[in-house]
Amino acid sequence: MIFKRLSLFSGLVMTLGLFSASLSSAQSNVVNDVLIRGATVLTITNGTLQNTDVLVQDGVITAIGTDLRAPGGIKTIDADGQYLMPGIVDAHSHIALSSVNEGSSPVTSEVTMEDVVNPYHIGIYRALAGGVTTSHLMHGSANVIGGQNETIKLRWGMINPDDLRFKGAPRTIKFALGENPTRNHGRRGSSGSQPGIRPSSRMGVEAVLRDAFSEARNYMREWADYESAKLNHPRQTSPPYNERLEVIADIMRGEILVHCHSYRADEILMLMRVLEDFGVHNITFQHANEGFKVAPELAAFGAGASVFADWWSYKFEVYYSTAYNATILTRNGVVTSINSDSGELNRHLYHEAAKTQRYGDLSDDEALSLITINPAMQLGIADRVGSIEVGKDGDLVLFDKHPLSVYAIAQKTFVDGVQYFDRETDRDDQRLRVDPSAKLDTYMEQETGVHRFVKSEYVTLDILFEQN
Amino acid sequence: MNLILSLLLATTTLVHQQDAEQQTAKPRQGTYAITNVRIETVSGGTIDNGTIVIKADRITAVGTDVVVPEGAHVIDGTGLRVYPGMIDSGTRLGLTEIGAVQETNDSSELGDVTPQMQALSAINPNIPQIPVTRVSGVTTVIAEPSGGLLPGTAALINLVGYTPDQMHAGGVLLLVLSFPVNRTPRFFRGGSPPDDFDPDKKYREAVEKLDEIWDRAELYDRIDAAYAENPNLSTHPEYVPEMAAILPVLRGEMILMVKVNARKEIEAAIEWVQERNIKRVIFSGVSEGWRVADKLAEAGIDCLVGPIFSTPTRESDRYDRAYANIGMLADAGVNVAIRTGQSENVRNLPFNAGFAAAYGLGKERALRAVTLGPAEMFGIADDYGSIEVGKKANLMLTNGDPFEPATQVLGVFIDGFNIPIDSRHIRLYEEFLHRDEGRVQPVQVQPAVN
């Protein structure tokens, strides 16, 4: 429904010609060829190349080398003295979503963030300005098995939410362990004063998972039985279709990657045991503040970890954290990424990655892998993004200084070879159309920490619409 | 052995040298000399290959021709740099331990008018957040209460000591005023605002309330003064703790710290402090200061700005306004200091300063905004904020630019105490990096599934 409403609005706006030319032209007249000359190229997978050119044609990197010839009329950018890295991949984001949590049941695998993508959210542009090109839009952590997530590219200015989708990216789903699902379902009200439903403990979380997988396995069996019986008995009736169980069945079929909100070491071990029992092997633990305690087990299972650089003590289950988490995980062979989970933090993920050189001793390539190739692997899109290689998507960001320096500022960001952010032409007023009477004083308390409890409840351009 | 471990051990050795039999590294005062070191004094430029001598809580010598006192613990600073310890001008450090666990949060009291609440009394000197913070080179912070209109008194504390009094830095206390806000909060406790919510009305009422409180406080001041002049002729005035807490501000003995962010509220707050003739005043937060930088400069009001890591206050603003705000204020001539607004991650102060520097403030002014700048604002520049003879020994020893993430902080002195480079985060790193190293039988780890 939200799609319809949004496209109705935007259709109206387009008809009235209110959209700025620069934005509407992004769709109709796309320039997705570019030659970036003379940059220090941080390829991630193939070291650092000094004074190197990168050519993007039709949205794809076609050549990396020195003194590349620009095909006729192609846009050329002189990047002498600047640093080119792959577009940043944020493995945990809640930007550009009109809702986040379907908290009505401990299992809600039937819902999907695909239905609530908001292409107008200013958070997309702000992330681009920090070099992010791909975001993994996740369901919230209210349920043990939450909704399906959506991987998008930050094609700012698109009107149809579908135009933001990362086409070909595998499906992923959100799981959640620990305090959030137990508080939301089992211990409602202050101090659990209202009666709840399972889970109210980490034991209950495991039971909910096992029940859901078992039920889905039975469902698969019923359908398999039906399919074979149908051959001999054409009038055999099918079992009832159940979208919730279909999705869980797809997890067991290996078609959906699991991304699980988790903090404590015990619950991380628990989920790996459960997944092992049901033959599921694609798992990335999100947050995983205590992942460092079970790093060898994570590595052995082939599980990924997507962590914060330094967040801790905002709730009890992250009290025994360490900012050295990403370093310990990396040194133990765990594929590790650093994510934002925040519309503030996703603007400086390159800085978050740099913190692993204070809290640990990761090399430049290792640190940058945490926000590029590693999250791309966790999202199943490493063949497309996460490094600068011929054949990969032209998702690139140009910095004036080395991106691990605190003084680095992103200058230009490209998605599929299209430039969506340019610091030079960035405007003081980001409104698409200035209405002098519009009351945009939507100020909120900026204290960091607020976002922990109130994530992604942004209002975007509908503020403008409401005013008119 | 990797770089950081060897650096850590090198620093731990500093402590072990002086007291080898000690099992637990603990902060210790003494006589120290840091030699062959690059000294960034902040107040008097850079001294290359210099020596700093520390005795008890003070710096007793700084320069290139300094004689190392006999018996001093010598720290060879070759290739390293010394900076003044950093000051965070607005935090909740010490007042909260675990954000979501109410029982550990003491920064806010019930009621709108509670100026007699003392943040200093609720500081917990022994929480793990304090070592986690100070090993980053942040030596001193403002711990501030929050909540209502007048939530209480903030205190400047050094991050060493076993009691709040030992931690209290320069006796600095600031009365906090959360200036009324004229806006509909995005988030209401327990849901959305009522349909008839009127931010203008609510704002007017709050300003009226503030004026009424201030009228009463001024009356209280006059009564108190009259009684002090003639204790025998007057009856003893009734003690009103709220009013008594405001008195030092009225008499210019205490700074009023006005928390204010949005443009029109900053303008209103400037008018209000001028009308009320507040003698010592500092604004805190000031996220839309850039919109009225000239007015703040003209009013001569110092600003504690931040957090720098914030999103712009309005959807329509440039994406980098929160980074650039402080530089724009400084360009207009406003004295600025940086605040993180943080509790457990005050350690990000140097990175707040780095971003502020990159987006217009520049490195030199950014360094000042976390050292001498706030020391001057709080009236303690004789003791804090720069490396000079006679000042408090609050220092950090680094192997590079302290705002760069890759730089290691190798030593910290606070109040003359040589601080062990140790925290729960470092201990967990040391224990878990190679978790199973201590086992006699190697662990059988299942082979990776894929």
Side-chain angles (χ1 to χ4, degrees):
Chain A
M1 284 312 287
I2 186 85
F3 276 20
K4 273 188 187 160
R5 191 168 66 86
L6 281 172
S7 46
L8 183 70
F9 269 128
S10 39
L12 200 67
V13 171
M14 285 299 285
T15 320
L16 295 172
L18 297 178
F19 252 77
S20 77
S22 64
L23 281 163
S24 51
S25 69
Q27 267 185 317
S28 53
N29 193 17
V30 173
V31 179
N32 59 357
D33 301 324
V34 65
L35 175 64
I36 300 169
R37 276 200 188 283
T40 300
V41 179
L42 308 165
T43 67
I44 308 299
T45 47
N46 190 30
T48 298
L49 310 173
Q50 303 295 335
N51 197 16
T52 296
D53 306 341
V54 174
L55 179 63
V56 179
Q57 287 174 295
D58 204 17
V60 175
I61 299 170
T62 53
I64 302 167
T66 47
D67 298 323
L68 293 183
R69 281 242 178 113
I74 200 169
K75 179 180 177 180
T76 302
I77 293 168
D78 176 16
D80 185 36
Q82 303 201 57
Y83 292 79
L84 189 68
M85 69 173 282
I88 293 167
V89 179
D90 186 358
H92 193 135
S93 178
H94 300 290
I95 60 168
L97 291 172
S98 56
S99 60
V100 173
N101 256 314
E102 175 52 51
S104 54
S105 163
V107 180
T108 57
S109 42
E110 67 275 20
V111 307
T112 168
M113 308 321 282
E114 181 192 338
D115 289 341
V116 289
V117 173
N118 170 10
Y120 301 111
H121 185 227
I122 190 69
I124 296 172
Y125 183 76
R126 290 176 180 168
L128 274 170
V132 179
T133 54
T134 296
S135 292
H136 186 216
L137 306 188
M138 300 194 74
H139 186 270
S141 52
N143 312 330
V144 179
I145 297 182
Q148 296 164 75
N149 313 304
E150 182 70 15
T151 304
I152 65 162
K153 289 213 184 187
L154 303 189
R155 301 185 186 102
W156 175 241
M158 295 294 135
I159 290 162
N160 184 343
D162 280 346
D163 289 338
L164 267 61
R165 300 187 70 181
F166 193 124
K167 293 196 175 59
R171 295 158 70 196
T172 69
I173 190 165
K174 177 75 170 275
F175 282 19
L177 315 176
E179 289 181 18
N180 289 12
T182 54
R183 185 182 61 249
N184 188 53
H185 298 288
R187 287 182 274 126
R188 288 179 177 167
S190 62
S191 317
S193 53
Q194 293 164 36
I197 54 170
R198 189 186 290 169
S200 74
S201 70
R202 286 183 172 82
M203 299 182 290
V205 171
E206 176 177 12
V208 168
L209 284 164
R210 288 188 182 278
D211 287 353
F213 277 116
S214 301
E215 207 182 328
R217 196 159 57 184
N218 287 341
Y219 176 83
M220 290 163 82
R221 201 174 292 135
E222 282 172 27
W223 272 90
D225 290 349
Y226 160 72
E227 296 291 349
S228 59
K230 196 168 65 170
L231 300 173
N232 300 325
H233 308 281
R235 296 177 69 186
Q236 181 84 17
T237 54
S238 75
Y241 178 85
N242 185 321
E243 176 68 8
R244 181 177 291 185
L245 297 176
E246 282 288 340
V247 173
I248 298 172
D250 283 346
I251 297 171
M252 287 192 278
R253 293 184 190 110
E255 289 168 17
I256 300 179
L257 314 181
V258 179
H259 282 254
C260 185
H261 164 109
S262 56
Y263 289 113
R264 267 187 20 194
D266 54 280
E267 63 193 20
I268 290 171
L269 293 174
M270 176 275 287
L271 183 60
M272 287 194 290
R273 281 196 302 271
V274 171
L275 294 182
E276 184 63 48
D277 289 348
F278 290 92
V280 178
H281 294 120
N282 287 312
I283 169 72
T284 297
F285 287 93
Q286 292 283 341
H287 310 319
N289 275 50
E290 289 192 358
F292 69 94
K293 293 182 177 173
V294 288
E297 285 77 8
L298 284 165
F301 195 80
S306 186
V307 305
F308 294 122
D310 58 7
W311 284 16
W312 72 295
S313 103
Y314 46 93
K315 61 200 301 202
F316 190 73
E317 60 190 347
V318 294
Y319 194 43
Y320 297 94
S321 305
T322 174
Y324 296 81
N325 195 20
T327 299
I328 298 172
L329 288 162
T330 301
R331 288 282 170 266
N332 280 275
V334 180
V335 174
T336 304
S337 64
I338 284 182
N339 67 58
S340 76
D341 193 14
S342 149
E344 192 286 307
L345 216 145
N346 68 352
R347 306 173 312 146
H348 46 82
L349 275 165
Y350 52 97
H351 171 60
E352 300 305 305
K355 289 176 182 174
T356 57
Q357 300 191 324
R358 173 158 293 196
Y359 311 120
D361 58 353
L362 296 194
S363 69
D364 288 358
D365 277 348
E366 284 173 327
L368 290 173
S369 295
L370 299 170
I371 52 168
T372 53
I373 193 70
N374 291 3
M377 287 164 72
Q378 293 169 344
L379 298 175
I381 51 177
D383 57 331
R384 295 271 306 280
V385 297
S387 63
I388 299 180
E389 293 177 59
V390 170
K392 282 203 170 181
D393 294 0
D395 293 6
L396 302 164
V397 52
L398 196 58
F399 280 90
D400 59 343
K401 298 187 177 66
H402 194 290
L404 295 174
S405 166
V406 78
Y407 305 114
I409 298 177
Q411 303 295 315
K412 297 178 195 316
T413 309
F414 303 85
V415 181
D416 304 322
V418 182
Q419 183 172 317
Y420 286 96
F421 168 74
D422 188 348
R423 186 165 161 83
E424 271 177 39
T425 56
D426 186 56
R427 296 176 307 172
D428 279 352
D429 192 322
Q430 297 291 342
R431 275 174 287 186
L432 300 178
R433 181 177 65 88
V434 179
D435 175 356
S437 68
K439 199 172 172 187
L440 275 166
D441 197 355
T442 56
Y443 175 78
M444 68 173 277
E445 222 18 81
Q446 288 295 323
E447 297 291 312
T448 46
V450 172
H451 59 267
R452 289 169 193 150
F453 306 107
V454 281
K455 281 176 189 162
S456 306
E457 294 295 328
Y458 296 94
V459 221
T460 54
L461 292 182
D462 47 359
I463 292 165
L464 280 176
F465 296 129
E466 279 165 19
Q467 303 290 329
N468 292 323
Chain B
M1 191 185 293
N2 62 39
L3 175 69
I4 181 168
L5 269 183
S6 52
L7 291 172
L8 289 172
L9 286 177
T11 328
T12 330
T13 322
L14 300 180
V15 178
H16 287 171
Q17 276 171 352
Q18 64 189 2
D19 206 344
E21 71 273 16
Q22 275 288 330
Q23 290 295 305
T24 308
K26 60 187 280 181
R28 234 161 244 284
Q29 288 181 331
T31 302
Y32 296 92
I34 309 173
T35 59
N36 304 315
V37 75
R38 178 168 145 188
I39 304 166
E40 302 287 355
T41 65
V42 176
S43 55
T46 302
I47 301 168
D48 281 315
N49 271 317
T51 294
I52 298 177
V53 177
I54 299 159
K55 280 184 186 164
D57 64 328
R58 299 281 163 177
I59 298 168
T60 56
V62 180
T64 48
D65 53 353
V66 168
V67 180
V68 175
E70 207 167 312
H73 303 291
V74 178
I75 299 160
D76 182 7
T78 304
L80 306 179
R81 311 176 188 183
V82 173
Y83 292 84
M86 288 182 281
I87 301 169
D88 190 326
S89 298
T91 77
R92 283 173 289 125
L93 184 56
L95 297 172
T96 175
E97 192 162 355
I98 301 173
V101 180
Q102 286 173 19
E103 291 85 344
T104 70
N105 285 296
D106 292 297
S107 60
S108 185
E109 184 46 70
L110 289 175
D112 209 22
V113 183
T114 57
Q116 73 273 37
M117 298 305 136
Q118 300 285 331
L120 190 64
S121 304
I123 298 288
N124 181 349
N126 302 305
I127 56 171
Q129 282 83 349
I130 287 175
V132 163
T133 303
R134 67 191 181 192
V135 297
S136 71
V138 180
T139 59
T140 311
V141 307
I142 292 280
E144 59 190 41
S146 59
L149 187 63
L150 288 155
T153 302
L156 187 72
I157 54 170
N158 281 321
L159 299 184
V160 69
Y162 295 102
T163 68
D165 287 334
Q166 288 181 351
M167 300 171 77
H168 198 189
V172 174
L173 297 171
L174 307 96
L175 187 73
V176 181
L177 165 63
S178 294
F179 201 79
V181 292
N182 186 356
R183 59 178 179 259
T184 306
R186 289 268 187 101
F187 307 106
F188 263 71
R189 200 163 283 184
S192 42
D195 289 341
D196 58 351
F197 186 85
D198 181 348
D200 292 329
K201 183 160 170 274
K202 200 164 181 296
Y203 173 72
R204 279 197 308 275
E205 286 169 359
V207 173
E208 279 165 22
K209 185 173 181 179
L210 174 61
D211 278 325
E212 189 194 328
I213 292 161
W214 224 258
D215 287 343
R216 285 196 203 181
E218 285 170 355
L219 176 63
Y220 189 85
D221 180 25
R222 289 194 295 276
I223 294 170
D224 188 80
Y227 176 75
E229 224 167 86
N230 262 320
N232 298 325
L233 298 177
S234 328
T235 49
H236 195 288
E238 191 188 344
Y239 174 64
V240 184
E242 287 84 354
M243 298 294 118
I246 298 174
L247 266 193
V249 169
L250 299 182
R251 293 176 179 174
E253 297 157 8
M254 189 186 282
I255 296 169
L256 181 68
M257 184 168 90
V258 182
K259 305 199 72 171
V260 60
N261 282 296
R263 175 186 57 79
K264 57 190 172 192
E265 290 147 22
I266 295 172
E267 289 171 339
I270 293 173
E271 266 182 47
W272 188 85
V273 298
Q274 286 173 344
E275 271 171 26
R276 290 289 173 172
N277 193 25
I278 309 290
K279 294 175 187 72
R280 301 175 69 193
V281 63
I282 292 179
F283 282 5
S284 170
V286 209
S287 51
E288 290 199 349
W290 62 275
R291 293 189 199 275
V292 285
D294 289 344
K295 289 181 185 170
L296 282 163
E298 195 191 319
I301 294 172
D302 298 347
C303 292
L304 315 175
V305 185
I308 308 300
F309 290 116
S310 302
T311 48
T313 50
R314 306 179 194 203
E315 300 263 321
S316 55
D317 283 342
R318 258 183 86 105
Y319 77 97
D320 63 355
R321 279 299 183 219
Y323 303 149
N325 178 36
I326 188 169
M328 295 167 85
L329 284 165
D331 286 346
V334 179
N335 290 327
V336 292
I338 298 174
R339 67 187 292 278
T340 62
Q342 266 287 345
S343 50
E344 69 274 10
N345 273 341
V346 171
R347 58 184 167 183
N348 284 333
L349 178 65
F351 307 142
N352 276 258
F355 267 65
Y359 287 83
L361 188 60
K363 291 185 196 182
E364 200 176 316
R365 289 192 299 185
L367 179 60
R368 220 174 180 286
V370 292
T371 54
L372 194 54
E376 286 172 352
M377 291 180 197
F378 303 141
I380 52 165
D382 287 346
D383 288 320
Y384 290 90
S386 63
I387 299 178
E388 291 174 68
V389 171
K391 283 203 175 184
K392 279 272 186 191
N394 277 21
L395 309 166
M396 60 172 162
L397 181 66
T398 73
N399 63 356
D401 180 340
F403 301 158
E404 284 286 16
T407 297
Q408 294 296 325
V409 177
L410 303 170
V412 174
F413 283 84
I414 309 177
D415 205 13
F417 285 87
N418 184 5
I419 302 295
I421 302 299
D422 189 18
S423 73
R424 186 195 278 175
H425 287 226
I426 292 169
R427 286 182 182 200
L428 288 171
Y429 178 51
E430 289 168 347
E431 178 173 359
F432 284 96
L433 180 60
H434 304 294
R435 190 190 68 183
D436 295 318
E437 235 171 26
R439 297 178 75 97
V440 175
Q441 297 290 332
V443 184
Q444 290 299 315
V445 179
Q446 297 298 312
V449 174
N450 39 345

